[in-house]
Amino acid sequence: MAGTTTSYCTSAKAEHYSVAHNFLAQTTATASSTSSTSYTSVSSLAGIAVGMSFSGTNVGAGSVVAAITSATAFTSSVASTGTITGGTLTFSGDAFKMALVKASPTGTYGAATVNYTDLTGNSDEVSGTGYTATGTALTNVSPVVSGTSAYVNFSPNPSWTSATFTTTGCLIYNTSVRLGGTSGTNTTGGGRCMSVYDFGGSQTVTSGTFSVLMPVASSSLAVIRMN
Amino acid sequence: MRVHVLKTDGGTHSEWSWATATAGLIFDIDDVQGADRMAEARDMLASIATTLAGYFRDHVLLPERDKLASNPDRLNDPFDAHMIAREAVAKIQDSARNSKWGNSLQSQEWEDVAINMISNNMNTAQHVERLWYADSNKNNTAAQAYKAKWHQE
């Protein structure tokens, strides 16, 4: 039956074991480099993982952390473009987004949903004033462990302003490409869906504000968690 | 994994919208049994919402609007909602001390959840004000950059 069912996507569960998603929050560190792929004297590597993109003055375009080589050094996929002496680098985890499902969708969205393109393939994404196709960006809050549970969340909550549209649910998906091969109908591997949420019926907003309030980050309530 | 929707036609969310939604998330009365107890629970919920409305108005919405009006370049300034949320929770706990829910609202677990939920919604309230500012100031480069950071294909 067409519609949305609140679910943690089964494909996403499997992808966690393939390191296909990085929820780490944006973080900064200082480091040095001299026109090479080697970065040394890193102030802290806490919260930095292989595969994270990073930027800064004289950092090569498209740089990602290729390997962590010591407690204070890493190598980059791209050489620095000049001398960096104690420069500030900004590291980012994967870029997640939330897309809204239109009223009376033709497709079915739930645990079996694999990719954002499942939504667009059915022409089921919301369209309307104040809504941009692909949805809104989410800001990662780094994973937290509580007891035997691990959970992640996003803050601030996704919001649309000057908005006129009707929606029945939403998808959280990863725009970053970490895993090759196909993902649903997307052959580039991007857009892997994390979870689907039902809004409990059609929700209409007119020339106003629409916010999705995610549950608080706790081991029993967080929006994405493994117990 | 439930999510909640907050929607306002014709403008931004008011302090009462934020307060009522947030109060309902940190003090769930759906499972309260008995008419008398439900009435008391509703009173407590209203009291929590009243406290939160003051904090949303005086510590988030009005200061943010004033700052944007006087210095729109501060669109990306950090905002420490956690401290404000902690203060609001302490006030709620104090006012609930002699109620039926006094003990449960003093628990560390409730306190942690409440602070996280309130601070996240305060961060969102500020974010919404900034998005509306961008909508109303199409010629402001910083405001348009802020909006594009969140809403761009």
Side-chain angles (χ1 to χ4, degrees):
Chain A
M1 192 175 124
T4 54
T5 304
T6 298
S7 310
Y8 193 165
C9 299
T10 306
S11 57
K13 293 176 185 173
E15 287 160 9
H16 283 304
Y17 294 108
S18 308
V19 201
H21 305 285
N22 180 331
F23 290 92
L24 287 166
Q26 191 174 83
T27 189
T28 60
T30 58
S32 299
S33 182
T34 310
S35 301
S36 77
T37 57
S38 177
Y39 282 77
T40 58
S41 304
V42 184
S43 57
S44 172
L45 283 162
I48 296 171
V50 170
M52 286 177 81
S53 61
F54 66 101
S55 59
T57 302
N58 285 343
V59 170
S63 290
V64 299
V65 177
I68 292 173
T69 52
S70 78
T72 58
F74 70 89
T75 56
S76 168
S77 61
V78 178
S80 54
T81 56
T83 299
I84 301 171
T85 307
T88 299
L89 309 179
T90 301
F91 297 83
S92 299
D94 289 354
F96 294 87
K97 294 190 89 168
M98 177 182 282
L100 298 179
V101 182
K102 74 178 187 182
S104 304
T106 56
T108 301
Y109 305 98
T113 301
V114 175
N115 198 284
Y116 163 70
T117 53
D118 295 356
L119 182 69
T120 55
N122 290 325
S123 300
D124 278 342
E125 187 170 13
V126 156
S127 66
T129 305
Y131 185 86
T132 306
T134 71
T136 185
L138 301 173
T139 300
N140 303 358
V141 175
S142 287
V144 175
V145 170
S146 175
T148 57
S149 300
Y151 56 88
V152 297
N153 216 350
F154 304 96
S155 181
N157 289 302
S159 297
W160 289 263
T161 54
S162 303
T164 299
F165 54 69
T166 301
T167 175
T168 56
C170 64
L171 269 60
I172 293 178
Y173 67 99
N174 188 352
T175 69
S176 302
V177 179
R178 292 185 148 263
L179 196 61
T182 59
S183 170
T185 54
N186 189 340
T187 55
T188 69
R192 293 172 189 275
C193 191
M194 300 302 309
S195 47
V196 175
Y197 302 91
D198 178 53
F199 292 155
S202 288
Q203 306 289 336
T204 299
V205 63
T206 305
S207 303
T209 309
F210 186 86
S211 299
V212 179
L213 304 185
M214 298 203 236
V216 68
S218 78
S219 56
S220 59
L221 299 172
V223 70
I224 296 174
R225 63 182 188 273
M226 283 195 267
N227 295 321
Chain B
M1 278 180 59
R2 270 182 70 195
V3 298
H4 297 264
V5 165
L6 182 61
K7 54 182 183 173
T8 301
D9 288 337
T12 188
H13 301 316
S14 69
E15 64 264 32
W16 279 104
S17 295
W18 282 117
T20 305
T22 307
L25 293 171
I26 62 175
F27 189 72
D28 186 357
I29 65 171
D30 287 351
D31 295 331
V32 174
Q33 300 291 318
D36 289 349
R37 197 169 168 83
M38 177 57 88
E40 290 178 273
R42 286 203 180 104
D43 287 346
M44 175 58 66
L45 185 64
S47 169
I48 292 172
T50 301
T51 300
L52 289 176
Y55 277 91
F56 271 99
R57 180 186 60 238
D58 298 336
H59 295 272
V60 185
L61 300 179
L62 294 182
E64 184 63 22
R65 289 168 193 164
D66 286 346
K67 286 172 186 169
L68 286 172
S70 60
N71 182 13
D73 290 340
R74 62 171 300 286
L75 273 161
N76 290 305
D77 281 3
F79 171 58
D80 188 3
H82 206 77
M83 291 295 291
I84 303 167
R86 187 174 290 281
E87 192 181 309
V89 165
K91 193 167 179 178
I92 291 166
Q93 288 174 318
D94 198 42
S95 64
R97 199 172 296 280
N98 296 318
S99 75
K100 285 188 170 63
W101 295 275
N103 286 338
S104 56
L105 267 56
Q106 301 297 325
S107 73
Q108 191 63 52
E109 184 185 9
W110 183 85
E111 184 177 304
D112 291 344
V113 167
I115 290 172
N116 279 331
M117 181 66 79
I118 294 168
S119 60
N120 195 17
N121 286 352
M122 285 180 167
N123 275 326
T124 308
Q126 184 207 46
H127 172 57
V128 166
E129 292 304 308
R130 292 177 173 190
L131 291 176
W132 272 106
Y133 181 83
D135 292 344
S136 306
N137 292 273
K138 299 288 188 191
N139 294 325
N140 184 301
T141 309
Q144 296 316 306
Y146 182 84
K147 176 116 185 180
K149 196 167 77 174
W150 304 93
H151 294 277
Q152 186 169 263
E153 276 193 63

